[in-house]
Amino acid sequence: MIKGLQLEMRQSYAFVARNFNLVKRYWGWEVVWLAYSIANSLSVTFIGAGAAEITGETQIDTNFLITYLLIGTLVWRFLASIFNNISEMIAWERWEGTIEYTFMAPVRRFNQMIGQTIFAIVYSLVFTVLIGVVVAAFFDLSFADADFVAATVILLVGSLSFVGIGVVASILPLLYPERGAQMTNIVQAFFLLVSGIYYPVSVLPGWLQTLAKISPATYVLEGMRAALLPATATADPLSYVWPLLIMGVVMLPLGIYLFQRAERYTKRTGKLKRNG
Amino acid sequence: MMEKHISTQEPALIVNNVVKRFNVASEPWWRRLVGVQKSVNGHGTPASAQPKARRGKEVVTAVDHVSFTVYRREIFGVLGPNGSGKSTLIRLLSTLLLPDEGTITVFGLDVERDEMAVKRLINRVSVEAAFFKKLSPKENLLYGARLYGVSGREADRKAREILGRLGLRESSYTSPMEDMSRGMQQKVAIARAFLTQPVLLLLDEPTTGLDPRSKLEVQAFVNELRDTHDATILITTHDMSEADALCDRIAILDDGKIVALDTPAGLKRLVQHNGHEPTLEDVFMALTGKELVEKDDVTDFEPEKVLS
Ligand SMILES: Nc1ncnc2c1ncn2[C@@H]1O[C@H](COP(=O)(O)OP(=O)(O)O)[C@@H](O)[C@H]1O
Ligand SMILES: [Mg+2]
């Protein structure tokens, strides 16, 4: 029993250690990506800084708008990073040529996903905090009455459903060796559009608002804003935890189940790899 | 280490009437109209004998009713030209492909029903080394070993030992794999498989593309594995002398079918003596009417072959 648990933890850890080694060895890419992300997040927050000048309205609470956009861009960076980490794992291993060795090992997909999830959350947190520190240094923001504990809970619970969605998206490169990786970008773009990252969901056309309701990112963002900008909150931040928890509990096992189905399909049809 | 649920009475591997077919895109209609039609695997299997494929698809029978048994501590060779189905067979044994027909059991365990248990017993070395290119041998090997439940420290100790024995320099052990020669990469691949202590080791053309010296080193290591570690080894190759030197028994695979199965000496007895001792090459020619190594398959420069 103890031995079995130790074995499974070792297997999950294999993925964590491997991914950190990849980050270390590809550090150049990481630096470029960090610089790009900082520039991107900064340019979004500067829209807030320029709002009064753009519209000619002097009454606009610029600092509020900046904080609003900053929360949006950071939460999105975090969730997108979780999603990418998980959804790219298959495409990455296909590219390296290691996929058969990972699939041949006596590892349950569940333990593999645990490892990938731990790595994704740690990596994305560090990455997002770095961006946040740099971007916030450009502005004079105050988070009076902000509830950071609630914000952290919402972010972590919300990341679970994104792991599940990422697992589902990673099926695409499994089934479509050539185009699968691009298809996952479409999935990501969908969440960017409907989840109210930089604007309230209410400005969207009706049919997009319906889609917003099934996006976990919508609840993460509303919850984070309720926790960090309590002045305008319409609900208790922790009330967003429940929908997120339910979505996470559904999406994670569903993702793993669908992944296993897809894996079986590739083993029947020979889609995993054919040369050699 | 993981405990291994194997019974010592069972043969190491039983392959029973296994078939694997693939759907591949067929030639476009315009090319068929022009009349340059040719069957997908190059050797005309009569279309009527094949199951019907989906539209625009053609069925390739990569492994065609194959049966054989490998006994414990045997080195069993599968000899066949490119495209004869060797890698497909190895993938079926290593749970990377599911058979369409037939059964495969490893020490009495069914590859489909007892997938996890079978996975613990086997490991595989393929033609291409298949590593994370930027990671070092150490990082790659520790990852691989942990998946099988071997601790990082134990894996590190054993990896140094094996790689030292195979002649890998200490400095290469911690620098990226992409800086190494193919011969070296293949040695790391063998170490990866060996670290998990497989009782059935599957080697898919492990020496193809290696220089003659590395080739011999790898072959010596394979022999040593069997002698000192109670491993059963299935090795595929299209190298005659390798098969002759290493294998206890050899199955000759052609077009997905086994055309002969015997000891190297037994196979040679199948063909006529014309004054000289027949080679496995002669055996293959006599059985299939083909040359084993086609001109463009030759990866190693062998002057005597080119000149003759
Ligand atoms: N995953 C696959 N999808 C489609 N066809 C395949 C696949 N794998 C192998 N084949 C086909 O099956 C036949 C046998 O291939 P393979 O097993 O790789 O032969 P070998 O290893 O002896 O060279 C070839 O015609 C090959 O094109
Ligand atoms: Mg092959």
Side-chain angles (χ1 to χ4, degrees):
Chain A
M1 186 61 196
I2 300 280
K3 247 184 120 178
L5 194 67
Q6 192 194 16
L7 167 80
E8 305 205 358
M9 276 165 53
R10 204 171 262 162
Q11 293 178 327
S12 298
Y13 178 68
F15 292 93
V16 180
R18 178 200 80 183
N19 289 355
F20 275 112
N21 283 329
L22 286 170
V23 168
K24 189 182 78 189
R25 296 280 182 182
Y26 285 97
W27 64 271
W29 290 10
E30 300 295 336
V31 171
V32 169
W33 181 235
L34 184 65
Y36 168 84
S37 302
I38 289 172
N40 197 309
S41 291
L42 261 179
S43 63
V44 168
T45 32
F46 274 123
I47 297 174
E53 219 170 304
I54 295 167
T55 58
E57 290 277 346
T58 48
Q59 304 301 331
I60 293 178
D61 183 348
T62 314
N63 260 353
F64 178 84
L65 192 52
I66 291 173
T67 315
Y68 183 95
L69 291 171
L70 181 62
I71 293 171
T73 183
L74 291 181
V75 168
W76 177 243
R77 285 277 153 225
F78 178 77
L79 293 179
S81 169
I82 299 260
F83 174 83
N84 283 335
N85 254 294
I86 305 283
S87 67
E88 281 170 4
M89 66 189 175
I90 296 299
W92 183 284
E93 287 218 53
R94 254 191 205 289
W95 176 71
E96 294 268 18
T98 53
I99 191 159
E100 286 193 320
Y101 285 84
T102 299
F103 273 47
M104 212 171 67
V107 181
R108 287 195 290 144
R109 292 298 153 245
F110 180 76
N111 291 335
Q112 178 176 355
M113 298 311 168
I114 296 265
Q116 295 280 8
T117 302
I118 292 171
F119 170 79
I121 289 182
V122 173
Y123 172 90
S124 304
L125 267 180
V126 171
F127 201 78
T128 310
V129 166
L130 280 176
I131 300 171
V133 166
V134 174
V135 174
F138 278 74
F139 306 99
D140 182 22
L141 304 174
S142 82
F143 286 94
D145 310 320
D147 185 348
F148 286 105
V149 176
T152 311
V153 170
I154 291 165
L155 203 57
L156 290 181
V157 174
S159 51
L160 290 187
S161 8
F162 264 78
V163 171
I165 296 166
V167 172
V168 176
S170 72
I171 294 173
L172 294 169
L174 198 59
L175 299 183
Y176 308 98
E178 286 100 33
R179 279 150 300 156
Q182 284 104 299
M183 291 191 212
T184 60
N185 288 331
I186 306 275
V187 177
Q188 196 181 329
F190 163 79
F191 285 107
L192 174 63
L193 177 66
V194 303
S195 308
I197 315 272
Y198 302 121
Y199 38 78
V201 168
S202 56
V203 303
L204 294 171
W207 61 280
L208 279 181
Q209 286 191 37
T210 317
L211 293 176
K213 287 203 182 73
I214 58 165
S215 161
T218 309
Y219 301 90
V220 177
L221 280 151
E222 287 185 8
M224 290 292 280
R225 289 193 172 118
L228 299 176
L229 292 169
T232 53
T234 52
D236 177 15
L238 290 178
S239 67
Y240 296 97
V241 170
W242 282 113
L244 285 173
L245 207 55
I246 292 166
M247 284 189 188
V249 164
V250 172
M251 284 312 295
L252 258 183
L254 182 69
I256 293 177
Y257 170 75
L258 291 176
F259 189 92
Q260 285 168 332
R261 288 288 301 266
E263 183 180 339
R264 235 189 117 71
Y265 172 80
T266 62
K267 288 181 175 181
R268 230 179 39 238
T269 53
K271 285 242 161 63
L272 205 54
K273 196 163 187 294
R274 62 166 295 174
N275 24 336
Chain B
M1 265 321 291
M2 258 173 284
E3 56 185 303
K4 296 183 169 162
H5 322 266
I6 55 171
S7 111
T8 42
Q9 272 80 44
E10 299 277 356
L13 172 67
I14 303 175
V15 177
N16 182 20
N17 234 349
V18 166
V19 177
K20 186 68 204 169
R21 301 185 187 92
F22 295 112
N23 280 310
V24 292
S26 55
E27 301 227 23
W29 59 270
W30 50 267
R31 195 176 292 163
R32 257 177 293 170
L33 267 185
V34 180
V36 266
Q37 187 174 13
K38 88 180 212 296
S39 105
V40 182
N41 46 11
H43 330 291
T45 318
S48 57
Q50 295 180 345
K52 216 167 143 52
R54 296 215 320 265
R55 220 167 76 97
K57 300 274 175 168
E58 214 165 313
V59 172
V60 173
T61 308
V63 172
D64 197 353
H65 296 91
V66 164
S67 300
F68 61 89
T69 301
V70 179
Y71 299 98
R72 208 174 172 144
R73 303 202 57 205
E74 202 175 12
I75 298 185
F76 187 90
V78 176
L79 191 59
N82 274 350
S84 58
K86 302 184 296 296
S87 298
T88 303
L89 181 61
I90 293 265
R91 287 196 173 99
L92 287 163
L93 303 180
S94 44
T95 75
L96 290 167
L97 284 173
L98 295 169
D100 294 327
E101 286 172 36
T103 55
I104 300 167
T105 51
V106 177
F107 288 97
L109 298 163
D110 185 272
V111 287
E112 225 174 313
R113 241 177 317 124
D114 314 308
E115 184 185 333
M116 262 319 160
V118 169
K119 281 176 163 174
R120 288 194 188 107
L121 300 178
I122 58 172
N123 213 325
R124 157 176 172 256
V125 175
S126 48
V127 201
E128 74 280 19
F131 285 107
F132 292 92
K133 310 176 235 315
K134 289 261 190 240
L135 298 193
S136 65
K138 178 179 177 177
E139 288 158 345
N140 272 297
L141 291 176
L142 261 55
Y143 166 63
R146 282 180 181 129
L147 294 182
Y148 288 76
V150 181
S151 76
R153 194 184 307 143
E154 162 111 5
D156 185 42
R157 190 181 57 73
K158 277 171 71 183
R160 282 172 196 275
E161 195 183 302
I162 300 168
L163 289 172
R165 152 86 186 65
L166 286 172
L168 188 91
R169 264 178 293 115
E170 181 70 28
S171 61
S172 307
Y173 184 55
T174 48
S175 26
M177 294 282 302
E178 62 185 358
D179 301 340
M180 291 177 149
S181 69
R182 236 191 64 72
M184 278 298 171
Q185 291 189 9
Q186 199 62 348
K187 287 175 188 173
V188 180
I190 289 172
R192 167 172 60 189
F194 188 58
L195 277 179
T196 68
Q197 300 203 316
V199 281
L200 175 61
L201 184 57
L202 307 166
L203 304 174
D204 193 1
E205 304 198 33
T207 60
T208 297
L210 297 193
D211 58 278
R213 201 190 130 156
S214 307
K215 219 173 213 178
L216 289 179
E217 281 172 346
V218 168
Q219 289 170 5
F221 191 64
V222 169
N223 261 324
E224 184 184 315
L225 266 185
R226 187 259 309 265
D227 294 342
T228 55
H229 287 91
D230 189 28
T232 307
I233 296 165
L234 187 142
I235 180 169
T236 77
T237 181
H238 60 232
D239 180 329
M240 297 292 180
S241 50
E242 176 166 288
D244 208 350
L246 274 179
C247 303
D248 300 314
R249 285 189 305 146
I250 297 170
I252 294 184
L253 199 63
D254 181 38
D255 238 347
K257 294 190 252 318
I258 292 189
V259 293
L261 198 171
D262 208 333
T263 58
L267 286 174
K268 287 175 194 167
R269 274 198 296 276
L270 289 176
V271 297
Q272 269 328 142
H273 282 253
N274 295 331
H276 72 288
E277 174 79 3
T279 62
L280 281 179
E281 220 121 27
D282 301 328
V283 178
F284 190 83
M285 278 280 271
L287 288 171
T288 65
K290 286 176 208 154
E291 292 209 49
L292 185 56
V293 183
E294 284 156 31
K295 298 285 173 290
D296 47 77
D297 294 343
V298 181
T299 37
D300 318 343
F301 180 67
E302 290 170 279
E304 65 275 31
K305 269 216 180 108
V306 178
L307 293 174
S308 66

